[in-house]
Amino acid sequence: MSQGAAALPGDPPGGRRAVAVWGLGVGVYFVAIIFRTSLGVAGIDAAERFHINASALSTFSILQLLVYAGMQIPVGLMVDRLGTKKVLALGAVLFTAGQLAFALSHTYGTALASRALLGCGDAMTFISVLRLGARWFPARRGPMIAQVAALFGMAGNLVSTTVLARLLHGAGWTATFGGSAAAGVLVLLLTLLFLKDHPAGHEPPPAAHAGGRGSVRQQITRAWREPGTRLGMWVHFTTQFPAMVFLLLWGMPFLVEAEDLARETAGLLLTVIVLSNMAVGLVYGQIIARHHAARLPLALGTVGATALLWAAVAGWPGAHAPMWLLVTECVVLGACGPASMIGFDFARPANPPERQGTASGIVNMGGFVASITTLLAVGVLLDATGDDYRLAFCSVFVLEALGLSQILRLRTRAQRREQERVVASRVETVHVPAVSPGSTA
């Protein structure tokens, strides 16, 4: 067992109760992902229903990402101050209301507002689930818990591409989106009835918040000053966005229009990314849980492999890249999501429990800012080059180079700080006197 996997004083015990409570939180996240990705299978139907062109349709995705990214730090502060249960419940209310409003929308403006509301609720789920896992499981389980949570998120994506897609063409728009909102109501009720912020006997110490803007600014500043938080953000920034851009908007048009594939074949390639994500997530989680030092090599290896395959497809001398190369690229893109989760493993040990939500929000914002930037850059370059996808996709290398330079700049500083905390924790443990069960500390 590596150093990073050692048991820590005051660790929660885990066990079946922890799995049940955490699983409930993951269920909320699972439903949020179904709602988030439901538009991906309804693009053609949405264009017809709201009488919009492709540019207006892409605004749905960009707006959702903007809302999601903009909410990350506020949500992190909310989780730290209000607790997981309240934030998850509020998130379920918002994304369920957004999905239901989307089902009933008949105008583009109303639909856009509905997706923004949905994105606001969706933004409250993942950070809450990370905090829930940290409260209920030992620290050594953190990497695996985070990867499994992300795996269930990808499972929600699969539900959208299979179940909702069939329902949409069978039951119609209102019935499909309105009916799916019932899942949001269900997880909201379960959250209110059964979810607990932490196990008995492991209550976090009361956080002394002075209130007002000053304390909020101080909370963010302290999290940001930690090299581990910034390193985690740049890892998330550099690893997540290539797959996000491909899955969320530009993958299908590229495969159909530039690579001349049938829509069914292109859809299968996108499914390969999702399945690869789920498989790689389990592998990365196990590796990091056993070998804490593997975090950075895995992240950098994923960035390198992604850049290599992206360059191979973009620079292929023929008119169309061969199928084997496209499949390989999709398999490698599937590793981007699990690699982005490594960012949280740098921020988690760098911050005390009362700052975990804020730090996670900063990290999570990184990948979505990169995704928004690339979505816009690809669109602008497509317009400027007459739909030259290969040239437009070169914008990916610019952001990868930026992120990689920041990772290399911060890695030594973050590792040094982490080693200092480990040493301080051991010294503190040695000097803490034993307390009998009947006494008070």
Side-chain angles (χ1 to χ4, degrees):
M1 187 72 65
S2 68
Q3 187 182 46
L8 299 175
D11 256 354
R16 293 182 180 179
R17 172 69 171 163
V19 171
V21 174
W22 173 79
L24 179 54
V26 170
V28 179
Y29 175 58
F30 174 76
V31 174
I33 293 295
I34 294 175
F35 291 1
R36 180 201 299 178
T37 58
S38 59
L39 183 63
V41 300
I44 297 175
D45 302 79
E48 294 177 354
R49 181 178 179 88
F50 304 119
H51 309 291
I52 56 177
N53 58 22
S55 297
L57 183 62
S58 67
T59 304
F60 280 121
S61 298
I62 294 174
L63 176 64
Q64 268 190 251
L65 288 183
L66 280 171
V67 171
Y68 191 101
M71 285 291 295
Q72 289 311 294
I73 293 179
V75 167
L77 290 166
M78 289 172 63
V79 170
D80 286 335
R81 295 180 176 225
L82 301 179
T84 304
K85 180 173 183 175
K86 292 179 181 178
V87 177
L88 268 180
L90 178 58
V93 169
L94 293 176
F95 67 61
T96 301
Q99 185 80 339
L100 183 60
F102 194 59
L104 302 175
S105 295
H106 290 280
T107 65
Y108 177 62
T110 306
L112 207 58
S114 301
R115 298 304 290 186
L117 184 63
L118 191 156
C120 186
D122 176 24
M124 297 182 177
T125 57
F126 189 63
I127 293 177
S128 297
V129 170
L130 289 179
R131 173 66 171 262
L132 200 63
R135 290 297 192 197
W136 280 89
F137 291 95
R140 66 183 182 276
R141 302 293 184 193
M144 192 63 193
I145 292 301
Q147 291 287 358
V148 172
L151 185 150
F152 276 97
M154 295 307 294
N157 198 333
L158 283 179
V159 170
S160 293
T161 58
T162 54
V163 178
L164 285 188
R166 293 183 181 180
L167 285 175
L168 188 63
H169 293 95
W173 180 280
T174 302
T176 299
F177 285 99
S180 64
V185 175
L186 175 61
V187 295
L188 172 61
L189 292 175
L190 291 175
T191 298
L192 293 174
L193 290 174
F194 301 112
L195 195 135
K196 303 290 183 183
D197 283 344
H198 46 73
H202 291 270
E203 293 81 2
H209 295 302
R213 295 181 181 178
S215 63
V216 170
R217 189 183 301 112
Q218 189 178 61
Q219 179 90 343
I220 297 172
T221 300
R222 287 177 176 174
W224 177 255
R225 283 178 177 172
E226 288 292 342
T229 303
R230 300 200 303 277
L231 177 60
M233 187 199 73
W234 284 109
V235 167
H236 199 270
F237 177 100
T238 313
T239 54
Q240 187 203 48
F241 78 95
M244 178 73 72
V245 167
F246 206 80
L247 280 173
L248 199 61
L249 189 58
W250 294 120
M252 180 69 77
F254 165 71
L255 295 172
V256 173
E257 297 175 8
E259 296 298 325
D260 200 27
L261 298 179
R263 291 180 64 89
E264 294 77 11
T265 305
L268 288 175
L269 285 175
L270 296 183
T271 303
V272 168
I273 298 177
V274 176
L275 295 176
S276 173
N277 184 299
M278 298 171 73
V280 174
L282 290 176
V283 174
Y284 277 18
Q286 290 283 1
I287 292 174
I288 296 171
R290 289 172 168 78
H291 309 284
H292 216 49
R295 294 172 300 171
L296 200 57
L298 285 176
L300 294 176
T302 303
V303 172
T306 303
L308 178 64
L309 268 298
W310 203 277
V313 171
W316 189 259
H320 307 298
M323 180 58 70
W324 65 265
L325 183 57
L326 295 175
V327 171
T328 305
E329 181 187 31
C330 289
V331 171
V332 172
L333 285 176
C336 290
S340 72
M341 298 301 299
I342 297 173
F344 298 102
D345 293 322
F346 286 108
R348 188 183 304 111
N351 291 273
E354 63 270 17
R355 280 208 313 265
Q356 290 290 326
T358 305
S360 295
I362 293 173
V363 172
N364 208 26
M365 189 173 63
F368 287 94
V369 169
S371 297
I372 294 167
T373 303
T374 310
L375 283 170
L376 293 172
V378 170
V380 170
L381 287 172
L382 284 175
D383 289 339
T385 61
D387 291 338
D388 188 336
Y389 279 93
R390 294 189 178 188
L391 186 58
F393 277 177
C394 288
S395 58
V396 168
F397 301 121
V398 177
L399 271 77
E400 283 192 324
L402 172 62
L404 185 59
S405 67
Q406 295 300 313
I407 291 172
L408 296 177
R409 182 178 68 87
L410 289 165
R411 61 175 180 173
T412 302
R413 198 179 313 169
Q415 289 170 349
R416 187 185 304 118
R417 287 277 290 171
E418 190 166 324
Q419 287 297 324
E420 291 173 356
R421 279 189 298 271
V422 170
V423 172
S425 175
R426 288 175 175 173
V427 171
E428 182 180 349
T429 303
V430 170
H431 288 87
V432 170
V435 180
S436 63
S439 64
T440 57

